[in-house]
């Protein structure tokens, strides 16, 4: 769309155009009426038989567009400022009503088809010398003119749409920050911000913490119901109804190249808690303490999350309770710790432990005798198994890949 000094940049045919334009001017009202009728037949959205005012405005707009084209034929320097402003306003109105431009563009081109046919027929009936080449040029000019009007409409539509998108994005950012903020918001305080952000308050939610943003990675491709917080220093997403069908598959697919950790499902006013656990799980996944395939579920690693909240405390507890192992060489310490943990989980069945660790059963029995030497009957004491199990699980996880 080119507009300069109030002029639509439309290439008009040369030759007898001014004379021809004056002859065509009297046909404009009839052509406009026929164009409106055709538009209302072809584009149902513009047929409003119970709204006489709307039909009148439509006919005036079409007549103005065709009449202005004829005026440009007579004088290409004719100002287009008013009609440009009018059609830009049409685009603005469509955007504010939440409609796209497909129907409007179809209507404009339908009207253009009528105008081309009738202006061509009227040109052939004039007493002025009109060649086939001039008629073809007039038809081509009509189409170019309509394309430029479509561009003006799209410009107005895009301006409003861009503002609306920006405002909606800001509203959603404000809502997300309110949801994850401290102190936790009251449900009553969320309703109006959610309405303004065009986000339905769900019954349950979960926070999804995202790994560090990289410039070469595209944003996650997720449905509009997922509330994005990619603007934060520690980016996250808010997932409504996280236990719903297909949710896990949708998240894995949409995250693409991102690493994400989904916090526990909570009520809408407890999102800060879900996000805190999600970020802790993400930190463990990033450090390879928790294995992952792109998506970590924090609630599947709660014992480990609890045990690793304070690494110094974990190390002190392990040094005290697993002291005999700490005196061994790193490789031997690792093997016996893994055997100890597997034995606790397999009820000290050497055959099952050997299958899990892929080590010969006789080797497992030898290691169990070593553990009995180090810890005595404590390893079989039901009252102490839980402590051993939690410490071994957390201690081994935090040292994954170090040996």
């Amino acid at each position: 769309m080119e507009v300069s000094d109030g002029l639509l940049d439309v290439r008009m045919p040369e030759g007898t155009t001014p004379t021809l334009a004056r002859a065509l001017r009297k046909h404009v009202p009839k052509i406009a009426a026929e164009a409106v009728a055709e538009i209302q037949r072809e584009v149902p959205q513009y047929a409003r038989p119970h709204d006489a005012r709307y039909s009148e405005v439509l006919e005036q707009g079409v007549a103005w567009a065709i009449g202005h084209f004829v005026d440009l034929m007579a004088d290409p320097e004719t100002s287009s400022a008013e009609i440009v402003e009018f059609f830009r306003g049409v685009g603005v109105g469509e955007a504010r009503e939440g409609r796209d431009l497909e129907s409007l563009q179809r209507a404009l081109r339908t009207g253009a088809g009528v105008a081309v046919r009738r202006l061509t027929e009227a040109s052939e009936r004039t007493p002025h010398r009109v060649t086939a080449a001039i008629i073809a040029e007039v038809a081509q000019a009509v189409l170019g003119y309509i394309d430029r009007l479509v561009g003006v409409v799209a410009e107005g539509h895009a301006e409003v749409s861009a503002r609306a998108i920006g405002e909606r994005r800001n509203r959603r950012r404000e809502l997300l920050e309110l949801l994850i903020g401290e102190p936790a918001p009251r449900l009553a305080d969320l309703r109006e911000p959610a309405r303004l952000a065009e986000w339905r308050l769900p019954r349950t939610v979960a926070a999804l913490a995202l790994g560090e943003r990289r410039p070469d990675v595209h944003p996650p491709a997720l449905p509009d119901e997922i509330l994005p917080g990619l603007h934060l220093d520690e980016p996250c997403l808010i997932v409504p109804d996280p236990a719903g069908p297909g949710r896990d598959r949708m998240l894995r697919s949409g995250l693409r190249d991102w690493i994400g950790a989904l916090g526990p499902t909570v009520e809408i006013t407890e999102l800060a808690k879900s996000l805190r656990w999600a970020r802790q799980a993400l930190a463990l996944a990033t450090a390879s303490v928790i294995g992952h395939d792109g998506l970590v579920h924090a609630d599947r690693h709660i014992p480990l999350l609890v045990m690793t909240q304070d690494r110094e405390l974990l190390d002190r507890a392990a040094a005290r309770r697993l002291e005999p192992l700490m005196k061994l060489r790193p490789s031997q310490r690792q093997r016996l710790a893994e055997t100890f943990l597997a034995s606790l989980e397999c009820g000290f069945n050497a055959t099952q432990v050997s299958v899990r660790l892929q080590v010969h059963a006789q080797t497992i029995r030898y290691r169990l005798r070593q553990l009995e030497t180090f810890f005595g009957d404590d390893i079989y004491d039901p009252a102490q198994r839980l402590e051993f199990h939690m410490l071994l699980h957390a201690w081994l996880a935090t040292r994954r890949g170090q040996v």
Side-chain angles (χ1 to χ4, degrees), residues 289-354:
V289 174
I290 294 177
H292 66 87
D293 57 358
L295 179 64
V296 176
H297 288 264
D299 58 2
R300 298 176 186 174
H301 303 277
I302 287 177
L304 184 58
L305 291 173
V306 171
M307 292 295 295
T308 56
Q309 284 190 80
D310 189 327
R311 288 291 296 275
E312 183 179 357
L313 181 61
L314 170 63
D315 289 341
R316 284 179 178 273
R320 176 188 60 81
R321 200 70 184 87
L322 305 177
E323 181 183 6
L325 297 183
M326 301 304 158
K327 297 177 180 179
L328 303 176
R329 297 189 312 276
S331 58
Q332 186 181 11
R333 179 194 310 148
Q334 182 83 8
R335 288 195 297 271
L336 281 177
E338 290 172 349
T339 301
F340 196 173
L341 178 60
S343 297
L344 287 167
E345 294 176 347
C346 295
F348 290 92
N349 184 308
T351 302
Q352 291 182 14
V353 175
S354 69

Side-chain angles (χ1 to χ4, degrees), residues 11-18 20 69 73 76 133-139 141:
R11 300 290 180 255
M12 290 297 172
E14 299 178 357
T16 60
T17 302
L20 177 61
F69 172 79
M73 288 179 64
I134 289 177
I135 290 175
E137 287 183 35
V138 169

Side-chain angles (χ1 to χ4, degrees), residues 123-303:
S123 297
E124 292 173 339
R125 291 197 300 269
T126 63
H128 307 285
R129 182 177 176 274
V130 179
T131 65
I134 289 177
I135 290 175
E137 287 183 35
V138 169
Q140 190 63 36
V142 171
L143 299 177
Y145 174 74
I146 291 299
D147 282 343
R148 283 158 176 76
L149 287 185
V150 167
V152 170
V153 171
E155 183 181 293
H157 192 279
E159 288 174 3
V160 174
S161 297
R163 286 197 298 270
I165 290 170
E167 182 177 352
R168 184 172 184 265
R169 181 186 62 241
N170 292 337
R171 294 283 191 184
R172 289 196 159 206
R173 286 181 176 182
E174 291 170 1
L175 175 61
L176 180 136
E177 290 170 11
L178 177 62
L179 286 168
I180 65 175
E182 296 283 4
R186 299 180 307 164
L187 181 59
D189 296 331
L190 294 173
R191 291 194 177 97
E192 182 62 11
R195 185 189 68 79
L196 293 173
E198 300 176 24
W199 194 68
R200 182 185 63 82
L201 287 175
R203 186 177 59 83
T204 58
V205 289
L208 195 152
L210 294 172
E212 184 178 353
R213 186 190 349 244
R214 301 198 311 269
D216 58 327
V217 174
H218 294 292
L222 293 166
D224 189 60
E225 63 184 318
I226 306 296
L227 201 61
L230 301 180
H231 64 290
L232 299 174
D233 291 336
E234 295 180 275
C236 67
L237 305 170
I238 303 304
V239 183
D241 305 318
R247 277 296 201 248
D248 189 79
R249 183 172 61 254
M250 176 268 290
L251 290 174
R252 290 179 187 279
S253 173
L255 287 176
R256 299 193 284 202
D257 295 325
W258 291 73
I259 296 175
L262 186 68
T265 298
V266 295
E267 294 182 358
I268 190 73
T269 56
E270 297 183 320
L271 260 170
K273 297 178 183 178
S274 182
L275 181 58
R276 184 169 65 251
W277 286 105
R279 283 175 171 163
Q280 187 178 347
L282 178 66
L284 294 179
T286 303
S288 299
V289 174
I290 294 177
H292 66 87
D293 57 358
L295 179 64
V296 176
H297 288 264
D299 58 2
R300 298 176 186 174
H301 303 277
I302 287 177

Side-chain angles (χ1 to χ4, degrees), residues 40-110:
Q40 292 176 330
R41 279 196 299 271
E42 295 295 325
V43 189
Q45 292 87 335
Y46 289 88
R48 301 184 186 179
H50 304 298
D51 189 347
R53 176 59 183 161
Y54 182 84
S55 297
E56 182 181 341
V57 171
L58 176 62
E59 188 164 345
Q60 287 176 347
V62 172
W64 191 6
I66 297 173
H68 185 67
F69 172 79
V70 174
D71 291 342
L72 285 172
M73 288 179 64
D75 180 7
E77 298 300 313
T78 299
S79 174
S80 302
E82 286 188 66
I83 197 165
V84 164
E85 193 61 30
F86 172 79
F87 276 96
R88 183 180 284 116
V90 170
V92 168
E94 294 294 290
R96 286 177 176 167
E97 293 294 326
R99 293 189 291 268
D100 60 30
L101 292 179
E102 182 178 352
S103 295
L104 181 57
Q105 291 171 347
R106 185 180 172 194
L108 285 171
R109 293 194 165 102
T110 297

